[in-house]
């Protein structure tokens, strides 16, 4: 349901699901502890630098004092320090004494403590104080050495001072304790407050869950989002979209079942009646007439069922599904569909024609549904046009639209009835033509799916004037491409 981490796969195998709160806390606390660990390392080096800085400055002062004392004497004679120098190097009661030694250019001891480790690879940079750490008798020492001093005879020497590192370590530990103790207290509190804040922040999800759980199965009304946080509003909008489509699908199924039950009663009852009549008849002519009526009734029922199925399919079309949509040539499609009605038109004594400008008329749409739209328009025109009449199918371009026209010189549709002929099962009174009243309803559903426009035009035109009849135009937008849902 969520991210495909190894833990998520394990939860799915065991039938459990990770909580959103747990995932957020995991992504908060784990990086927080990692950053805290990095902070401890950084704090250690900062405390080490803080602890070393004052002691190194003091050690550098002792080193300069030692060099000054030696520069006032000759290295060829024993070196003695002044009383003030010995006092400074001895330190206070809390400080450890600073030991020292004087080396010549070759590293030979000339004066001082011989136990102090000799600096390794020391450089001959004048007046550059160098520091290093060393160990003597399992005791850590901090050394400072300086080259460039010269005695009264001009002989160069290396001055070295050393002191124990315990005081530095103690200071560093105190600094670390002072810096880390507040963090150890604040970090758990911050994690607890974060968990509490997230729990309160995710409360709307719990309320939404409880609201959805209390809903009746038949309740498909939209979910209110007036009290929801901004982050949840898109989720609620998506759920409302699903509920709307589900409601439309259920309503379409209900209409289909109701329409089928209502419309199939009459032809099925007629078929049953003709069957009963045929069973009672003994004369072949009357029996043949009943069977003929039975065939006619079954054909009507078959056509009605096919139209009901087609209407249900047209209602359930989703313009966001690109797999049902492709680029088509409306002129070629209309010409092909019209050709399939020529024999029917001849059998009814009608003149069926097709007109086009010859140019390609590209549109985007479902080829099956658009072909059914054309078939229903032509069938409707042939059905209501009396023998000897004319029906013309015409395609043309009109600015940003690609137009399909079906025109006949039949009795026409009164203007007050034009808005109702697209309703299901609606038929104009006074017409004896047999039909189910679903043809134009299917046309409207397909047109709406393709964002097409349906208009009734005056029957006459400049090419082939009609004194009466119906001229119906379906206009498809050139640039309509259904949006694909990702």
């Amino acid at each position: 349901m969520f991210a495909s981490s190894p833990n998520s796969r394990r939860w799915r195998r065991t039938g459990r699901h990770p909580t959103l709160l747990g995932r957020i806390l995991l992504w908060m606390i784990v990086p927080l502890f990692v950053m805290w660990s990095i902070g401890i390392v950084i704090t250690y080096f900062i405390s080490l630098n803080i602890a070393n800085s004052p002691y190194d400055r003091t050690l550098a002062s002792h080193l300069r004092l030692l060099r000054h004392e030696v520069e006032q004497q000759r290295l060829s004679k024993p070196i003695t320090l002044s009383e003030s120098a010995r006092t400074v190097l001895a330190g206070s009661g809390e400080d450890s004494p600073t030991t020292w030694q004087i080396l010549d250019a070759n590293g030979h001891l000339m004066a001082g403590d011989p136990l102090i480790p000799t600096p390794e690879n020391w450089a001959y940079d004048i007046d550059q104080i160098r520091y290093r750490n060393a160990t003597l008798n399992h005791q850590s020492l901090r050394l400072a050495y300086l080259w460039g001093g010269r005695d009264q005879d001009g002989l160069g020497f290396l001055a070295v001072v050393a002191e124990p590192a315990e005081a530095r370590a103690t200071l560093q530990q105190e600094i670390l304790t002072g810096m880390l103790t507040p963090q150890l207290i604040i970090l758990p509190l911050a994690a607890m407050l974060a968990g509490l804040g997230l729990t309160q922040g995710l409360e709307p999800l719990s309320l939404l869950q409880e609201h959805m759980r209390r809903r009746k199965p038949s309740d498909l009304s939209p979910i209110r989002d007036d009290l929801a946080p901004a982050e949840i509003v898109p989720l609620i909008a998506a759920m409302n979209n699903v509920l709307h489509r589900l409601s439309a699908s259920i309503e379409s199924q209900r209409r289909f079942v109701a329409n089928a039950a209502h419309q199939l009663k009459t032809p099925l009852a007629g078929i049953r009646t003709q069957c009963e009549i045929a069973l009672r008849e003994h004369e072949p002519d009357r029996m043949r007439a009943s069977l003929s009526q039975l065939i006619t009734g079954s054909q009507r029922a078959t056509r009605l069922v096919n139209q009901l199925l087609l209407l249900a399919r047209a209602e359930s079309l989703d313009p966001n599904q690109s797999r049902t949509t492709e680029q088509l040539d409306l002129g070629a499609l209309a010409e092909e569909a019209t050709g399939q009605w020529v024999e029917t038109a001849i059998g009814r004594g009608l003149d069926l024609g097709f007109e086009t400008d010859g140019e390609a008329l590209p549109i985007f749409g479902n080829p099956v549904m658009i072909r059914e739209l054309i078939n229903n328009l032509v069938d409707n025109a042939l059905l209501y046009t009396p023998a000897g009449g004319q029906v013309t199918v015409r395609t043309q371009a009109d600015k940003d639209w690609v137009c399909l026209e079906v025109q006949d010189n039949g009795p026409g549709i009164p203007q007050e009835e034009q808005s109702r002929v697209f309703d299901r099962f609606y038929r104009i009174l006074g017409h004896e033509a047999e039909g189910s009243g679903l043809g134009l309803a299917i046309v409207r559903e397909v047109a709406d799916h393709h964002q097409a426009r349906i208009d009734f035009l005056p029957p006459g035109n400049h090419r082939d004037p009609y004194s009466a009849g119906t001229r119906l135009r379906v206009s498809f937008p050139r640039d309509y491409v259904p949006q694909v849902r990702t």
Side-chain angles (χ1 to χ4, degrees):
M1 181 178 180
F2 297 99
S4 56
S5 63
N7 288 336
S8 297
R9 289 194 292 270
R10 177 176 60 83
W11 280 324
R12 283 196 291 269
R13 286 195 298 268
T14 57
R16 302 182 329 193
H17 297 276
T19 63
L20 181 60
L21 177 61
R23 289 178 58 84
I24 295 177
L25 288 177
L26 181 65
W27 280 97
M28 288 181 59
I29 294 178
V30 171
L32 185 62
F33 272 98
V34 172
M35 294 178 63
W36 181 65
S37 301
I38 296 174
I40 290 177
V41 176
I42 297 175
T43 302
Y44 170 79
F45 287 104
I46 292 176
S47 63
L48 182 62
N49 180 67
I50 293 175
N52 280 334
S53 295
Y55 283 98
D56 284 348
R57 287 195 295 268
T58 301
L59 198 60
S61 299
H62 292 175
L63 184 60
R64 294 189 185 95
L65 176 61
L66 175 64
R67 186 180 73 166
H68 178 72
E69 289 288 330
V70 175
E71 286 177 342
Q72 307 303 319
Q73 305 177 47
R74 290 182 173 85
L75 293 175
S76 57
K77 297 180 180 181
I79 300 298
T80 58
L81 301 180
S82 64
E83 181 66 25
S84 59
R86 289 196 302 271
T87 301
V88 171
L89 294 177
S92 62
E94 299 178 356
D95 298 332
S96 301
T98 302
T99 56
W100 58 275
Q101 64 178 195
I102 302 298
L103 306 175
D104 62 10
N106 295 321
H108 298 146
L109 181 64
M110 302 181 65
D113 188 351
L115 299 178
I116 299 177
T118 302
E120 299 176 358
N121 301 325
W122 52 277
Y124 292 89
D125 298 329
I126 299 176
D127 295 333
Q128 292 291 329
I129 299 177
R130 308 290 182 181
Y131 299 94
R132 66 184 290 264
N133 297 320
T135 302
L136 177 63
N137 296 329
H138 305 290
Q139 182 182 19
S140 298
L141 296 177
R142 180 70 167 174
L143 303 180
Y145 50 94
L146 176 64
W147 168 261
R150 295 186 178 276
D151 66 354
Q152 293 292 330
D153 297 329
L155 181 63
F157 62 89
L158 177 70
V160 182
V161 293
E163 66 178 8
E166 284 82 0
R168 298 166 180 262
T170 302
L171 179 59
Q172 181 185 4
Q173 184 177 1
E174 292 176 353
I175 295 173
L176 280 174
T177 303
M179 296 178 69
L180 296 180
T181 300
Q183 297 183 26
L184 291 174
I185 298 175
I186 292 175
L187 187 64
L189 291 177
M192 293 174 59
L193 291 176
L196 181 61
L198 287 173
T199 302
Q200 296 297 321
L202 295 176
E203 183 65 20
L205 288 179
S206 300
L207 296 178
L208 176 61
Q209 175 187 1
E210 186 63 25
H211 173 72
M212 296 300 295
R213 187 176 297 171
R214 289 199 306 264
R215 276 196 165 204
K216 297 180 179 179
S218 59
D219 186 3
L220 297 178
S221 60
I223 304 171
R224 295 179 54 188
D225 61 354
D226 51 348
L227 300 179
E231 292 79 5
I232 305 180
V233 170
L235 173 62
I236 296 178
M239 295 176 64
N240 285 337
N241 185 29
V242 173
L243 291 175
H244 174 72
R245 286 185 289 156
L246 180 60
S247 177
S249 176
I250 293 176
E251 183 61 26
S252 175
Q253 293 178 4
R254 288 176 179 172
R255 287 199 304 268
F256 174 78
V257 172
N259 294 338
H262 176 73
Q263 294 297 321
L264 288 176
K265 286 190 300 183
T266 300
L268 291 178
I271 292 174
R272 180 178 178 180
T273 301
Q274 293 299 327
C275 289
E276 293 176 349
I277 294 175
L279 290 175
R280 289 196 301 265
E281 293 292 343
H282 299 288
E283 297 182 8
D285 292 340
R286 293 184 178 181
M287 183 180 297
R288 186 177 296 107
S290 298
L291 292 177
S292 177
Q293 292 294 327
L294 182 62
I295 293 175
T296 302
S298 64
Q299 290 176 343
R300 294 175 183 173
T302 301
R303 174 172 172 76
L304 178 59
V305 170
N306 289 335
Q307 285 193 313
L308 285 171
L309 292 174
L310 184 60
L311 180 61
R313 182 178 179 183
E315 290 177 340
S316 63
L317 283 176
D318 187 355
N320 295 316
Q321 294 180 354
S322 61
R323 67 177 182 270
T324 62
T325 302
E326 58 186 77
Q327 189 172 20
L328 309 169
D329 184 352
L330 181 61
L333 194 63
E335 183 177 5
E336 177 187 356
T338 304
Q340 297 175 357
W341 288 94
V342 172
E343 293 185 4
T344 303
I346 294 176
R348 296 180 182 178
L350 300 174
D351 180 13
L352 175 62
F354 177 78
E355 297 179 0
T356 181
D357 294 335
E359 62 175 312
L361 301 174
I363 62 172
F364 285 92
N366 184 308
V368 176
M369 290 293 101
I370 293 181
R371 187 177 288 107
E372 290 299 331
L373 177 144
I374 300 172
N375 288 335
N376 278 277
L377 286 176
V378 175
D379 182 27
N380 193 73
L382 295 177
L383 187 64
Y384 287 92
T385 301
Q390 295 179 340
V391 177
T392 302
V393 179
R394 185 180 300 111
T395 58
Q396 59 186 4
D398 182 12
K399 295 182 180 179
D400 296 332
W401 300 87
V402 174
C403 303
L404 169 72
E405 290 186 6
V406 177
Q407 184 174 2
D408 63 68
N409 60 352
I413 301 175
Q415 186 174 3
E416 62 273 11
E417 301 283 348
Q418 290 179 358
S419 61
R420 301 189 59 188
V421 293
F422 296 102
D423 296 339
R424 296 175 181 85
F425 310 112
Y426 180 79
R427 299 182 61 196
I428 300 176
L429 296 177
H431 284 222
E432 298 179 356
E434 296 181 355
S436 61
L438 290 176
L440 293 182
I442 295 173
V443 170
R444 184 181 63 178
E445 291 292 340
V446 176
D448 290 345
H449 170 73
H450 291 84
Q451 304 295 312
R453 191 178 64 195
I454 303 177
D455 300 298
F456 284 97
L457 303 180
N461 63 25
H462 66 282
R463 292 184 177 178
D464 188 11
Y466 286 70
S467 59
T470 301
R471 182 183 174 193
L472 191 147
R473 172 183 288 184
V474 182
S475 304
F476 296 87
R478 288 179 180 266
D479 56 350
Y480 168 67
V481 180
Q483 300 296 320
V484 180
R485 184 183 298 110
T486 57

